[in-house]
Amino acid sequence: MDAHRGDALVVGAGIAGLIAALKLAPAKVTVLCKTRLGKGAATEWAQGGIAAAIGKDDSPRLHAIDTQRAGAGINDRKIVEILTRDAPARVEELLELGAAFDRTEAGELALGREAAHQRRRIVKAGGDATGHEILKTLIEAVRGHSSIEIAEDVTAADLIVDDGRVAGVAAVDNSSGARVAFRAGAVVLATGGMGRLYRYTTNPVEATGDGIAMAARAGALLADMEFVQFHPTALAIGRDPMPLVTEAVRGEGATLVNDLGERFMLAIHPDAELAPRDVVARAIFEQQQRGRTVGLCGSTTIGDKFPQDFPTVFGFCAGAGIDPRVQNIPVAPAAHYHMGGIAVDEWGRTSLENLWACGETSATGVHGANRLASNSLLEALVYGSRVASDIANAAPRQRNERATKPSRQRHAPRRNPRTSAAQALSDVRNVMYSNVGLVRNQAGLREALARIEELGAQFGEAGSELRNLLVVGRLIAEAALARRESRGSHYRSDFPQSDEAFAKRSFTRLRSVA
Ligand code: SIN
């Protein structure tokens, strides 16, 4: 196995990984990227923007209140305070790096509005192409640093742990299939989400929960695994992954109607289409369960401004023969973001010595049971930066204090070749969407766990992405089974109310290796 060595190793090249790498320089940093740099990261597809209390009528305190309200009472307050306090400074840094955010005619940042925000506070670029602009900016900055090496087309497979200390990552070179060891003084996981686990998702195919699965196999503490956010309005035109129709479209007044012409959100929540994401997503799902289809109508409120204000959405619609200026956009809920992940403290430290995590793969506790729109790019910026400063400043490395001894691992059972890997992937995606999706219950969760167990027995040693998805799917289903209440994005039809006894975050470890 070839070996590379550096001061720091960052696994993942989306916003969290690149900001961490940038701030770690001039240390010698290697960034592992599963595809070509700029591809395969959900950042590139982010439409909405970065939430930051920049407006004159806004404050970090109001931003924190909205973040906590969306999170249904279990956000970590300290982490929320740091997030909302640091937001304007992180936006300023991106501007200094050259990010071209949208401006008003007066030259000020043009702030958009999204659901559950009581103020206009969404910093955006190109109308609905914010992620693209940020990634472009960070890539240019990273390329300008000779101390940052980007290893493209390399998939991380497992953590290398020496004497209880994370020392690097065993990876596979995608083009040659060769195993390569990347060793470093500090290791950062920034591998993004796990949306591929669900039949319907807005995430890129690369979002296979690799960081969570690697950390889990090495015994790391995980948190909030049951909380998976479904975006209410993915474009329902038969594409996989589903293109996103940004929430900002509803922020600008578009309404949801079913095929009977009913604006059903009015009867469900006082904020109607701008209710919290889980409420809107479940309402659309319920319409679907009743055999209805749902459209997003922006013809009167946005109309002719669609191409200019939402060029990405307009392009997706046009490609499917839909003109949103005059027609409803067909929408459906899709897995969008995972609030759970590798448990970290306020510096991104995991429970494993010398391992940090940031971005979607981590669980800082900032989002609680449900993430407020446009807080994900922000979290990646704020906590990616904090990880870098902790690595630069702190020695010797600390563990996250919640750490306890890793549980014993057992070997995966022998593989039964009856189901193909493609079939297994399709099965797990279906069962996750049906049974571990927007509406859950005990029987469905048990059924999902049984199927995942069966597939784990067959594919525990197979190609790493499927293996990773099965590990993550199991952890989500187990956590969802244990939370016998409904809260935020986690809705149990057999326990439809919130229960004070569960008004706290959940922590878990992988009990055995799938
Ligand atoms: C959106 O544009 O609706 C997505 C923003 C987000 O997920 O935060």
Side-chain angles (χ1 to χ4, degrees):
M1 185 152 64
D2 283 349
H4 291 244
R5 267 173 216 285
D7 298 330
L9 175 67
V10 177
V11 186
I15 182 171
L18 293 184
I19 197 78
L22 206 52
K23 294 201 166 185
L24 280 162
K28 190 171 176 302
V29 187
T30 304
V31 178
L32 296 195
C33 184
K34 223 170 159 180
T35 56
R36 307 300 294 171
L37 184 59
K39 307 279 172 221
T43 305
E44 169 68 15
W45 294 5
Q47 294 179 13
I50 306 174
I54 288 172
K56 291 188 181 62
D57 60 349
D58 204 358
S59 69
R61 195 181 67 82
L62 289 180
H63 186 183
I65 289 171
D66 291 347
T67 299
Q68 275 163 207
R69 207 173 273 155
I74 59 166
N75 316 61
D76 185 319
R77 278 169 188 261
K78 181 169 153 201
I79 302 289
V80 173
E81 245 178 68
I82 294 170
L83 180 91
T84 52
R85 180 200 69 201
D86 288 4
R90 297 290 84 82
V91 169
E92 195 55 47
E93 277 171 5
L94 285 180
L95 287 167
E96 280 162 18
L97 286 174
F101 291 131
D102 293 347
R103 296 199 174 261
T104 63
E105 279 175 11
E108 297 187 337
L109 286 174
L111 301 175
R113 167 119 201 258
E114 285 179 350
H117 287 272
Q118 53 181 311
R119 293 287 187 271
R120 284 192 167 265
R121 64 165 73 99
I122 314 303
V123 177
K124 53 202 174 60
D128 59 4
T130 314
H132 173 79
E133 178 63 20
I134 294 171
L135 203 58
K136 180 168 81 71
T137 304
L138 291 177
I139 287 173
E140 270 167 30
V142 159
R143 286 208 163 115
H145 271 280
S146 56
S147 68
I148 302 177
E149 182 204 351
I150 310 285
E152 291 174 296
D153 286 319
V154 174
T155 301
D158 277 300
L159 294 174
I160 299 171
V161 184
D162 291 343
D163 296 329
R165 187 170 192 275
V166 176
V169 159
V172 178
D173 180 322
N174 298 339
S175 45
S176 66
R179 303 271 297 179
V180 195
F182 288 85
R183 291 182 170 270
V187 179
V188 181
L189 293 176
T191 53
M194 49 82 247
R196 188 72 182 151
L197 194 46
Y198 285 88
R199 165 60 55 207
Y200 302 109
T201 180
T202 61
N203 289 186
V205 294
E206 290 80 7
T208 50
D210 302 348
I212 296 178
M214 285 192 291
R217 281 193 292 267
L221 188 69
L222 310 162
D224 309 327
M225 289 297 292
E226 63 273 40
F227 297 115
V228 178
Q229 182 173 80
F230 285 75
H231 197 290
T233 58
L235 184 57
I237 50 168
R239 274 176 60 176
D240 176 25
M242 295 170 80
L244 184 68
V245 179
T246 175
E247 191 154 302
V249 172
R250 276 174 288 133
E252 295 306 325
T255 54
L256 288 163
V257 286
N258 65 17
D259 53 328
L260 301 176
E262 295 161 345
R263 194 178 158 200
F264 52 90
M265 282 310 302
L266 288 175
I268 291 177
H269 195 279
D271 294 333
E273 283 80 5
L274 293 181
R277 240 176 223 187
D278 61 297
V279 176
V280 183
R282 255 192 323 275
I284 298 176
F285 184 70
E286 275 159 21
Q287 291 287 321
Q288 292 179 313
Q289 300 300 296
R290 285 189 223 147
R292 306 263 63 91
T293 55
V294 173
L296 185 60
C297 173
S299 54
T300 47
T301 48
I302 303 169
D304 287 344
K305 290 190 284 171
F306 247 113
Q308 182 203 313
D309 289 359
F310 299 105
T312 309
V313 173
F314 188 78
F316 286 138
C317 290
I322 299 158
D323 185 346
R325 290 173 293 196
V326 291
Q327 287 175 295
N328 289 354
I329 304 170
V331 291
H336 183 59
Y337 186 86
H338 191 198
M339 277 69 74
I342 307 163
V344 295
D345 68 8
E346 74 267 35
W347 293 103
R349 297 171 188 155
T350 72
S351 63
L352 300 182
E353 198 178 340
N354 210 38
L355 182 71
W356 286 257
C358 52
E360 191 173 345
T361 197
S362 69
T364 58
V366 80
H367 306 303
N370 204 6
R371 178 178 62 85
L372 185 67
S374 289
N375 266 355
S376 53
L377 294 176
L378 175 61
E379 185 200 27
L381 282 176
V382 169
Y383 286 96
S385 301
R386 289 175 70 86
V387 161
S389 56
D390 194 50
I391 292 171
N393 296 336
R397 303 274 75 91
Q398 300 292 314
R399 288 174 190 221
N400 175 346
E401 283 310 311
R402 292 188 206 267
T404 57
K405 281 204 160 156
S407 51
R408 277 168 64 86
Q409 301 180 349
R410 71 171 156 79
H411 292 294
R414 284 248 303 276
R415 179 174 171 179
N416 172 343
R418 275 174 306 174
T419 307
S420 71
Q423 185 59 49
L425 176 62
S426 177
D427 279 9
V428 73
R429 295 184 75 202
N430 285 335
V431 84
M432 288 298 293
Y433 190 79
S434 308
N435 297 14
V436 198
L438 291 107
V439 177
R440 304 158 172 188
N441 62 48
Q442 178 174 291
L445 290 166
R446 289 213 164 125
E447 192 185 310
L449 277 166
R451 186 65 185 134
I452 289 167
E453 181 82 2
E454 237 171 67
L455 293 172
Q458 293 180 51
F459 293 98
E461 296 163 298
S464 62
E465 286 186 339
L466 179 55
R467 179 176 67 148
N468 291 345
L469 286 171
L470 290 167
V471 166
V472 176
R474 177 173 147 192
L475 287 160
I476 294 173
E478 281 174 353
L481 193 58
R483 187 174 283 277
R484 292 186 306 282
E485 64 152 1
S486 291
R487 185 177 298 274
S489 64
H490 168 75
Y491 184 81
R492 291 272 305 248
S493 56
D494 45 355
F495 295 99
Q497 304 302 326
S498 294
D499 179 342
E500 264 309 292
F502 287 97
K504 53 182 186 265
R505 301 180 62 203
S506 67
F507 293 90
T508 189
R509 281 192 161 82
L510 186 63
R511 275 190 279 278
S512 60
V513 177

